[in-house]
Amino acid sequence: MKSSSPLKWFGSREGLYYLALAFLLVIILPLALDPFRLNMVGKYLTYAFVAIGLVMCWGKAGILSLGQGVFFGLGGYCMAMFLKLEASTPEATAIQSTPGIPDFMDWNQLTELPWFWEPFHSFSFTLIAVIGVPMLLAFVIGFAMFTRRVGGVYFAIITQAIAAILTILIIGQQGYTGGVNGITDLKTLMGWDIRTDEARTTLYFICVGMLFLCLFVARLVQNRKLGRILVAMNAQEMRVRFSGYDVAAFKIFVFCLAAAFAGIGGAMFTLIVGFMSPSFIGIVASIEMVIFCALGGRLSILGAVYGALLVNAAKSGFSESFPELWPFAMGALFIGVVLAFPNGLAGLYQSYVIPLEDRLLKRKKPEAEPAAKPAAAQPDAEKADDYDPMINSYSPEKS
């Protein structure tokens, strides 16, 4: 894909997959769904940001993080803090003991705004914090772990513990964070009412646009030398280290990239749903995010999007009828996918649908068509889509 033009890429198999996803999200779903259901799809898409980051971390680099909800929640809380301050003007909070501060602070007898809330009066600072705060925490965790060569199941357990610790911290500091209820009653963004159907539809399209931006950033990383090094690290980390590469630096980079994606998803979740609470940060939420990635295909960034959509749609539909049984269904789904289809939906598509497409295309070719070039002479960009080379390059059992 290095030398091909954008128009040529959109005509390739990989480009058509991206166009199909865009057609689904931009045209079909908005026309087929009412504003309420479309808003739910927008909420599902916010989890796709996390799933894309997990593909880069887990699928490409072999770093299984069970605490991505932490970064999702941090991005969401940064946006919620700005929205809450905008809704807590002295006029809107005149009935409080201390007007001009969020209501939960007044309930907990705080008399002034905490110092770390002050910068969130600025929308520009908030946008930077949505990405910067998750990346900063990811850098600290990654530097502490990867420079000491902590990985595998140990790293997964540590990230899970961090998710539990942050949840307890947020709930315990109710006067500063809203506690178990989180930050609620968010009304406007820069004076724009985000609670109307028109606003939610607009936010849905903004979410789709940001999702494709993250998809193309992830694709850019995986199709460059950096992406090949990440895959090589997953397969043979010691060999990569002995080749002179700083493995820890590459792991820190991809972990921070996944945190940035999750932070953006959390911020969009807050805007679309209208609140943020610690329930989206803890262990259960983080494991569900891993399931989105596993079902869609942990080697495919597009598969991660479909996995997030399908699992959340199933969760909504199933839990409406059988709310007590959904956790068991989720666990059975994860176990079944890992055992039977380790590459998820993307692997099934790779194994069964693509060969069928190839056969159908061959039947349409005219008999007098010149012989095709040998496989070795074909450009890498036209051999397969974004996950095909990755599936064939290493065994999933490595990570």
Side-chain angles (χ1 to χ4, degrees):
M1 201 64 63
K2 294 181 180 178
S3 61
S4 59
S5 66
L7 289 178
K8 185 178 180 181
W9 177 77
F10 279 115
S12 67
R13 171 178 282 168
E14 181 187 359
L16 291 176
Y17 292 156
Y18 280 82
L19 288 175
L21 179 62
F23 185 73
L24 173 67
L25 297 180
V26 177
I27 297 178
I28 295 179
L29 293 181
L31 291 176
L33 301 177
D34 58 71
F36 173 75
R37 293 294 177 182
L38 189 65
N39 185 64
M40 291 185 66
V41 174
K43 184 181 78 170
Y44 304 160
L45 288 176
T46 62
Y47 294 116
F49 290 86
V50 189
I52 294 170
L54 279 168
V55 168
M56 301 304 296
C57 263
W58 183 28
K60 309 300 183 186
I63 305 168
L64 176 57
S65 170
L66 296 180
Q68 290 303 102
V70 169
F71 310 119
F72 182 85
L74 287 176
Y77 266 95
C78 287
M79 181 59 69
M81 290 165 74
F82 171 80
L83 298 177
K84 190 63 177 179
L85 288 177
E86 186 173 331
S88 303
T89 60
E91 296 79 13
T93 56
I95 63 173
Q96 296 180 179
S97 302
T98 306
I101 64 174
D103 48 12
F104 59 83
M105 293 184 184
D106 187 66
W107 300 337
N108 287 273
Q109 301 180 355
L110 270 67
T111 57
E112 61 180 0
L113 193 68
W115 63 268
F116 59 88
W117 274 74
E118 290 288 350
F120 289 94
H121 280 109
S122 169
F123 185 59
S124 300
F125 176 86
T126 301
L127 293 179
I128 296 172
V130 162
I131 299 176
V133 172
M135 287 187 70
L136 179 60
L137 179 59
F139 177 81
V140 172
I141 296 171
F143 185 82
M145 297 295 106
F146 298 138
T147 55
R148 290 167 175 78
R149 301 188 183 182
V150 176
V153 67
Y154 301 104
F155 181 79
I157 293 173
I158 289 171
T159 54
Q160 195 173 55
I162 292 172
I165 291 169
L166 186 60
T167 303
I168 296 170
L169 180 64
I170 291 175
I171 294 175
Q173 299 298 317
Q174 182 172 329
Y176 300 101
T177 63
V180 68
N181 295 322
I183 301 178
T184 60
D185 197 25
L186 308 177
K187 302 175 181 178
T188 61
L189 173 65
M190 305 290 287
W192 177 48
D193 192 344
I194 60 174
R195 297 168 297 176
T196 65
D197 289 342
E198 294 79 8
R200 290 177 175 177
T201 301
T202 302
L203 288 171
Y204 167 81
F205 285 109
I206 293 174
C207 183
V208 171
M210 294 300 298
L211 179 66
F212 273 92
L213 178 61
C214 291
L215 279 171
F216 284 114
V217 170
R219 178 186 172 275
L220 180 67
V221 171
Q222 75 167 15
N223 286 356
R224 294 299 185 268
K225 181 180 179 181
L226 173 58
R228 295 192 291 272
I229 293 175
L230 294 177
V231 173
M233 283 189 332
N234 189 7
Q236 293 290 338
E237 181 176 324
M238 295 303 297
R239 183 174 296 180
V240 173
R241 181 176 283 111
F242 292 152
S243 297
Y245 291 101
D246 188 347
V247 171
F250 286 107
K251 287 186 174 182
I252 292 171
F253 168 79
V254 74
F255 190 50
C256 290
L257 180 66
F261 288 165
I264 295 172
M268 291 306 308
F269 178 91
T270 300
L271 287 169
I272 290 174
V273 178
F275 74 96
M276 175 53 67
S277 78
S279 61
F280 303 106
I281 294 178
I283 295 174
V284 175
S286 298
I287 292 177
E288 284 186 355
M289 294 169 184
V290 174
I291 294 175
F292 305 154
C293 175
L295 180 67
R298 63 189 179 95
L299 305 177
S300 169
I301 55 177
L302 280 180
V305 178
Y306 288 108
L309 286 172
L310 290 174
V311 174
N312 280 285
K315 179 179 180 180
S316 297
F318 199 89
S319 60
E320 288 175 2
S321 303
F322 308 99
E324 300 87 0
L325 297 179
W326 168 248
F328 300 99
M330 175 74 87
L333 179 66
F334 180 64
I335 294 173
V337 167
V338 170
L339 292 179
F341 312 110
N343 293 321
L345 296 176
L348 291 176
Y349 190 91
Q350 161 75 20
S351 300
Y352 299 104
V353 180
I354 287 182
L356 179 60
E357 288 179 355
D358 292 338
R359 287 197 296 270
L360 292 175
L361 290 174
K362 287 179 180 179
R363 290 171 186 170
K364 295 180 181 180
K365 289 182 180 180
E367 295 181 0
E369 183 178 343
K373 294 181 181 180
Q378 295 288 340
D380 291 341
E382 298 181 4
K383 286 195 298 184
D385 50 51
D386 63 329
Y387 50 79
D388 182 20
M390 305 304 176
I391 289 179
N392 294 330
S393 58
Y394 69 94
S395 171
E397 286 75 19
K398 292 285 184 183
S399 57

